[in-house]
Amino acid sequence: MVIWFIACLAGARKFLHVPHKTDPRIHPIDSLIKAASLQHDAWLKQASASKTLDDAVTEYRKRYQRHPPPGFDDWYQYATERSSVVIDDFDNLMDDLRPFWAIQPAEIRKRTRDAFVDPWNEVAQLTIRSGKAEIGPDVKPTHRWMLDGVIAMMKNYVEKIPDMDLGFNINDEPRIAIPYTDFQDLLKKSTPTEPLNGNVVNEFSKDRSAGWNFSVPGDPNNLPPSIKPFEDRSFTNTFHTYGSIACPPSSPARRSHAWDTRTLCTSCLAPHSDPSGLFLANWTLSASPCHQPDLAHLHGFYLSPAAFKPSKVLYPVFSQSKADGYADIRYPSPWNYMDKAAYAPSDNSSDPAYDPPFAEKKGTLFWRGATSEGLSRLLLEWGRLTDEGREGIGFSG
């Protein structure tokens, strides 16, 4: 059910790394541009290889060893009518949802309810009943627009979505970090062990709304007590308690708890740099903290997150982005869909929104944007670039 919902919101993307050799006659940046072009073309080709619904169903089964979810034919029609470049590639989506196959549906519903039932948790409720989406009663007024954006995204197909409740993270920071051993156990349990058979169920279960009713039978006002499955770790260094716990125990991030901030950690840079060691070559790998223990002292999200309420238990929380190693379920950001950060330059040179031609721009470095993921407590921290916003680290969304 969630697969259909997210697939309709947006196509997932996957960044591939193509190794390349260094040619002394070619500048490293030119080599990186060429490699990126090849990566793009290869990804685009495999993302929309299917030309018919039957092809898409066959490709889905081949790639993910599962039958497509009910309503996949509606998804295919919706995507092709809008000339979507994504027909076959659901890798990011499947990565986010895969561990939940290790949990029973009733437990997923309970954890969803536990996440949003208390406003302190800062997880907002979205309810879908009989093809209509509504916002829960305890959403902060300052963040309600996020849920309005989700409903706007769903309006063209919400009648196809079965009854369910969803919990949306209203903070910028991700929420779910599962220790490495626990997460590997979830992945093992969620991996299909038997070949696909012909017993395909192409419809959702009946009377689904009853499964979301947590009141005591006969007393609709007698609800289970609210719980706080999250802890407040705002304004504290969380690299070793949350940021790196999804890394293997043998990784540098788990083994190294001390770093001389006066030196450059070249071993932290090497895995994702080009052969010259001067340029970033693998953006995806650069987002991983596992080989970069120095990030514990370099990034605002790890040093002093402004609003951070995480959990080490797998709760189904939808977030607009997440740092590498977190297990939130990503969805398209309402910031973009609702034009909250629209780029609207002016051609009038006297207008504050005027954006001059590139050739007329000055070679000036300045800070741009809000410090939404970290709070600078000391002026000294600016010198160590600790207050990056979302763009400063590999937050994927």
Side-chain angles (χ1 to χ4, degrees):
M1 59 181 179
V2 180
I3 294 179
W4 199 97
F5 166 61
I6 296 298
C8 288
L9 288 181
R13 64 180 185 270
K14 180 181 180 181
F15 292 90
L16 307 174
H17 177 56
V18 179
H20 57 275
K21 298 181 180 180
T22 300
D23 187 331
R25 298 168 299 176
I26 301 176
H27 194 282
I29 292 182
D30 291 327
S31 297
L32 292 172
I33 292 174
K34 181 179 180 180
S37 179
L38 293 174
Q39 293 169 23
H40 172 268
D41 292 344
W43 181 89
L44 191 62
K45 182 178 180 179
Q46 62 82 39
S48 55
S50 297
K51 304 305 178 184
T52 67
L53 174 60
D54 288 342
D55 290 344
V57 170
T58 300
E59 187 67 18
Y60 190 103
R61 290 169 176 159
K62 176 182 176 182
R63 294 191 187 200
Y64 305 114
Q65 297 303 301
R66 299 182 186 276
H67 294 298
F72 188 76
D73 52 343
D74 292 320
W75 145 250
Y76 181 84
Q77 181 180 352
Y78 186 90
T80 54
E81 286 179 348
R82 288 158 179 78
S83 301
S84 173
V85 298
V86 177
I87 299 297
D88 299 308
D89 190 307
F90 300 101
D91 286 4
N92 278 2
L93 171 62
M94 299 299 281
D95 288 344
D96 288 353
L97 296 181
R98 182 180 170 188
F100 290 96
W101 267 295
I103 304 175
Q104 292 297 316
E107 178 63 19
I108 293 178
R109 292 193 293 268
K110 179 183 180 299
R111 293 188 189 184
T112 300
R113 184 263 177 191
D114 289 343
F116 66 61
V117 71
D118 191 326
W120 183 90
N121 295 334
E122 297 181 336
V123 175
Q125 176 188 5
L126 187 71
T127 298
I128 302 175
R129 297 290 186 273
S130 302
K132 182 180 180 181
E134 294 184 347
I135 299 174
D138 298 315
V139 179
K140 290 183 177 180
T142 53
H143 293 73
R144 186 181 177 90
W145 66 268
M146 293 183 182
L147 279 297
D148 288 333
V150 174
I151 290 178
M153 283 187 249
M154 298 166 59
K155 67 180 181 180
N156 290 330
Y157 55 83
V158 66
E159 71 278 1
K160 302 286 188 179
I161 301 177
D163 291 353
M164 68 175 78
D165 288 351
L166 301 169
F168 289 85
N169 173 24
I170 63 173
N171 294 332
D172 292 328
E173 293 81 355
R175 307 296 294 273
I176 309 298
I178 311 299
Y180 177 82
T181 302
D182 295 343
F183 194 72
Q184 295 305 309
D185 184 54
L186 287 169
L187 294 183
K188 182 178 180 180
K189 292 179 179 177
S190 67
T191 301
T193 57
E194 299 180 359
L196 293 178
N197 55 45
N199 299 323
V200 180
V201 178
N202 196 29
E203 62 179 0
F204 295 106
S205 55
K206 305 297 184 183
D207 194 24
R208 291 174 53 88
S209 60
W212 294 98
N213 183 7
F214 296 96
S215 62
V216 175
D219 186 357
N221 296 318
N222 189 359
L223 294 172
S226 63
I227 66 171
K228 291 182 172 63
F230 308 97
E231 64 171 330
D232 193 343
R233 295 303 303 272
S234 303
F235 315 123
T236 63
N237 192 309
T238 61
F239 184 81
H240 296 295
T241 54
Y242 280 97
S244 63
I245 63 174
C247 297
S250 60
S251 65
R254 294 284 298 276
R255 291 186 289 102
S256 303
H257 282 230
W259 173 61
D260 185 356
T261 57
R262 295 170 298 179
T263 63
L264 176 66
C265 181
T266 54
S267 62
C268 301
L269 300 173
H272 55 263
S273 299
D274 76 326
S276 72
L278 299 176
F279 300 97
L280 174 65
N282 190 331
W283 182 90
T284 308
L285 186 59
S286 73
S288 171
C290 297
H291 65 281
Q292 303 180 81
D294 58 337
L295 286 181
H297 306 284
L298 287 177
H299 198 281
F301 172 61
Y302 297 125
L303 270 168
S304 181
F308 189 46
K309 292 183 177 179
S311 175
K312 295 178 182 177
V313 177
L314 186 64
Y315 283 88
V317 175
F318 288 81
S319 293
Q320 300 175 47
S321 63
K322 64 179 178 180
D324 194 90
Y326 281 77
D328 303 49
I329 304 170
R330 289 164 291 180
Y331 75 100
S333 174
W335 275 98
N336 300 324
Y337 197 83
M338 302 292 283
D339 286 337
K340 295 286 286 187
Y343 174 62
S346 171
D347 295 329
N348 186 349
S349 59
S350 61
D351 192 319
Y354 174 66
D355 188 0
F358 185 82
E360 299 178 12
K361 294 181 184 291
K362 298 179 181 179
T364 304
L365 178 66
F366 62 96
W367 180 260
R368 178 184 182 277
T371 58
S372 60
E373 261 79 43
L375 183 68
S376 181
R377 294 170 295 180
L378 298 172
L379 182 61
L380 175 64
E381 291 181 347
W382 278 95
R384 286 162 49 194
L385 295 180
T386 61
D387 243 10
E388 299 98 331
R390 183 186 309 273
E391 293 76 15
I393 195 173
F395 272 55
S396 58

